[in-house]
Amino acid sequence: MCGIVGYIGEKNAVDIILDGLHRLEYRGYDSAGISVLTDGELDSVRSVGKLAALESKLKTTPLSGPSGIGHTRWATHGVPSEANAHPHHDDPQAIAVVHNGIIENYLELGAKLREKGFEFRSETDTETIAHLIRLYFEGDLFTAVKRALQDVRGAYAIGVICSDDPGVLVAARSGSPLVVGLGKDESFIASDAAAILNYTREVLYLEDGQACEVRRDGYTVHDLQGVPQQLDIQTVDWDQSQAEKGGYPHFMLKEIHEQPEVIRNTIGGRISKDHSEVVWEDGLLDDSLLETCDRIMIVACGTAWHAGLVGKRLIESLAKVPVEIDIASEFRYRDLLIPPNTIVMAITQSGETADTLQALRAAKNRGATILSLVNAIGSTIARESDAVIYLRAGLEIGVASTKAYTAMLAALTLLAVDLGRRRKSLTAQEATALLTGLQQVPTKIQEILDNQGSILQCAADNRFRDANSALFLGRGYSLPTALEGALKLKEISYIHAEAYGAGEMKHGAIALVTDKLPVIFIAPRSATHEKIISNIQEVRARSGIILAIATQGDTGIAQHCDEVIYIPDCPEPLSPILAAIPLQLLAYYISVNRGCDVDQPRNLAKSVTVE
Ligand code: AGP
């Protein structure tokens, strides 16, 4: 999941491309590179590591020119190295290509090209594209790119420039996201509109199988056979300040603190004045879709999958609709049995996660109706769904998802209550109690954010900070919370954290318990509270270091634990939202105390656009 930016116009492309790459660095930071055309010459500078390394190299080897392409990399084929950094070139170094995605038949194509005498300088799949374009180049770059891509199998978003056809920048996509930005006497390409919002808000979202010849004064969109394509220009109305840290040391901490506002946005205008009904935006959801669906199948990845697990429990208990959930990368290759009247629900922050997108397409091909919960407006999954509930969490830049997760939980609660009311499995009183509780969640989150003392203390405590592993345990609604807490700690502090059903622990994981192992119990007030107290005592008996997330007023639990972090009381179905906050903060502060790069953790990227 690399980041691509391109520019063609009158200004120096280098400044604009670097600015854009900074806004996309959350997509990958293994290496970076830039190529520009100056007086018909193609010049490139590439470097290993973060963008800053490329910028310091550009100080000693400056580049400038009216058109160029740039890239920040998340390595898939070939180790992070300068040779494997993009842009990749053809032999006479006249063509430069940046790519996000995976070319699945690159070995086969590479063999054919080597037979024709092409020499490869890198281990990447991308270099194949540069040589293929050279193979078909007869003076018109657009034509050569379209021809070359007919031989390619796999996922790609590419940007291409060529010194033999300097007046154009060619872009194309299949599977990976790409937008074209339109300015006055200048045009842009980018993996995500956020990269070019400083320069234009007029964008085209390229569709799969489309290529675009981008010029200073216009553009042409074709399919790979050269058939002209029409695309509507869309205006992006995001508030650019969201892409700034706003005085916080990290985007993750800023986004954690945005959650009261985010939940207000997610539920804003979607709950009736008397709190008894859910009211979606006009035309958002077709009534019959919800009233006639017999089954819901949820597909998602990572944190979104954890939200889906809460969604399953909410929908089954409040609406009595059977819910199946699967990780998208497995769902995609299952022998899918999708009975009629099934809603397939994709849950995703970025709307570009390849596993979830392909799962959605597999379900759609089998006649399922797709209802998606998406944060990123205009994203591919949103555009390919039959109905979309937008999360309204705003731009999420920290790789570790936080505000999008709690927004997913709030949206799933609305959906479950709505389904329950429509299917008469939830009374008006029960619905009102839950929707009133949901309206109070932002204030309760703020209360947790305003009282971080015990969280900071635990994060500075070497029993937690210096741990090599940790175990997160929960029951019912709190099992997905345990999974999410473990993921947050894993992905930013690199502590090997595992989550388990607290009841399941004694069937194996309890063997891990020693006086060095932190065991974090997610134990807010719940129907199975007594059971989880017994599980706490089972760990106590083996001297585990016990931290519990518990409900204010639950003084009893403290006697069994080494540390307790209290959260405000709320109806049990809402507890996953509140219990997530201290787990996000604990992971954040432990990672900061361990000196980790919280916003750009190793080996990860924000939007996983390859399978
Ligand atoms: C979560 O912190 C991770 N960034 C990752 O697990 C993420 O949730 C997953 O890749 C799904 O992303 P999506 O919501 O954008 O589809």
Side-chain angles (χ1 to χ4, degrees), residues 266 270 278 280-281 284-285 290 345-348 370-376 382 385-392 407-408 410-412 414-416 418:
T266 308
R270 290 173 166 172
V278 173
W280 301 106
E281 298 85 284
L284 181 100
L285 290 177
L290 294 183
M345 187 192 294
I347 305 178
T348 171
I370 310 295
L371 164 62
S372 295
L373 271 64
V374 183
N375 190 40
S385 300
D386 301 302
V388 181
I389 296 174
Y390 279 111
L391 300 174
R392 304 171 177 166
M408 288 167 183
L412 286 162
L414 289 175
L415 187 63
D418 185 34

Side-chain angles (χ1 to χ4, degrees), residues 300-305 347-353 356 381 398-402 408 484 487-488 491 604-608:
C301 304
T303 285
W305 179 66
I347 305 178
T348 171
Q349 186 290 120
S350 62
E352 300 294 352
T353 302
T356 308
I381 289 176
V399 169
S401 183
T402 53
M408 288 167 183
E484 180 57 11
L487 177 61
K488 289 285 101 64
E491 64 181 327
L604 282 178
K606 182 66 184 167
S607 153
V608 184

Side-chain angles (χ1 to χ4, degrees), residues 39-51:
D39 309 329
E41 285 300 309
L42 180 74
D43 287 321
S44 302
V45 174
R46 306 183 295 176
S47 69
V48 183
K50 303 219 170 162
L51 212 45

